[in-house]
Every structure is written in C-alpha cells, then in structure tokens.
Amino acid sequence: MQTTGQGIVNPLNLPILNATGYVTGQDYLDEDHAAAIAENMRANGWQGAPLVVLPEWAISYSGTHRLHAAEAAELEEVPAVNLEDLFEACGLDLEAIVAENDYMVTMHRPEILDHLPHDIRAAYALDDII
C-alpha cells in the first residue's frame, strides 16, 4: 500500500482532488465520532484513504464522518479521488455498469461498489458503505 508524505493512502496513485465544500451522500452522522476524528486531524492532518467523490455533483461517496471532521478541523484541503477514476484503474467501466444494471449512481452505492475488488474497497475505506 502506498502512502503519500502527507498521510494519504492512495494505492492506485489516482489523481487527488480537493473535496472541500462537498456534501455527503449519507444521512447518518455520529457527532461524537466526527468530533474525535476532527481532534485527530487537528493534531496529525489527514491520515488514511482519501474520500471517494462524484466531482460533477460535489458529493462525497464515502467518509461522512471524515468530511465533517475535516471541516470542523478547518483543514485547508480534503483529499479525494474520483469514483470513475477508481473504477477505470480497476479495468471497470462505471458508466457501463450503471447503465447495464439500471443503477442510479447516487442511490445504489453498495451495489455499484460491489463491482470493485475487495482489497480496493478496503484500501479506499468503502467496505462499510450501506
């Protein structure tokens, strides 16, 4: 697994985007958990996987707590990778998968992510998307 000098884990070396100001696609937020992450971010900056995002909609596909924590910690940048780039790096065509299965990219997250290899889902913190 590759980690940048800044603590960002990005094993596929995908281009890093700035997701500052993005919204999350999830409704649930544990405020205490997000506050604990924010405290860690203030001390150590961003650590771990970047968010996975849909840049054309400014929506974070993953990392609800990390996104809120980064805002609370006032990080200058929130590292993210494009969902489409992630699929492409795995030899998969996201648009074709969505079309073939009549998925909505914002509504069928678990079904879409199930097409990615398990190790990639784990590396990019997508294992627990429900």
Side-chain angles (χ1 to χ4, degrees):
M1 187 155 308
Q2 297 173 348
T3 305
T4 69
Q6 302 161 323
I8 302 167
V9 176
N10 183 12
L12 296 175
N13 290 318
L14 298 173
I16 298 292
L17 310 171
N18 182 5
T20 300
Y22 278 38
V23 296
T24 181
Q26 296 182 19
D27 296 328
Y28 174 75
L29 178 68
D30 179 334
E31 296 283 346
D32 292 335
H33 183 56
I37 295 170
E39 184 177 330
N40 183 280
M41 285 181 174
R42 283 185 202 95
N44 303 305
W46 190 276
Q47 300 293 310
L51 299 178
V52 177
V53 298
L54 301 168
E56 59 275 12
W57 293 311
I59 294 174
S60 178
Y61 219 63
S62 67
T64 299
H65 291 91
R66 292 179 294 146
L67 182 61
H68 284 280
E71 184 177 319
E74 299 179 350
L75 295 186
E76 291 183 24
E77 293 187 9
V78 177
V81 297
N82 185 329
L83 179 66
E84 193 169 350
D85 291 347
L86 184 61
F87 270 74
E88 185 178 309
C90 293
L92 301 167
D93 184 337
L94 177 61
E95 287 185 30
I97 291 168
V98 167
E100 289 169 8
N101 294 284
D102 199 27
Y103 291 150
M104 291 181 62
V105 74
T106 57
M107 301 298 291
H108 294 101
R109 294 178 335 147
E111 296 87 352
I112 290 169
L113 294 173
D114 196 42
H115 289 83
L116 291 170
H118 176 73
D119 62 328
I120 296 301
R121 289 194 318 261
Y124 286 91
L126 298 167
D127 278 358
D128 61 352
I129 300 293
I130 55 171

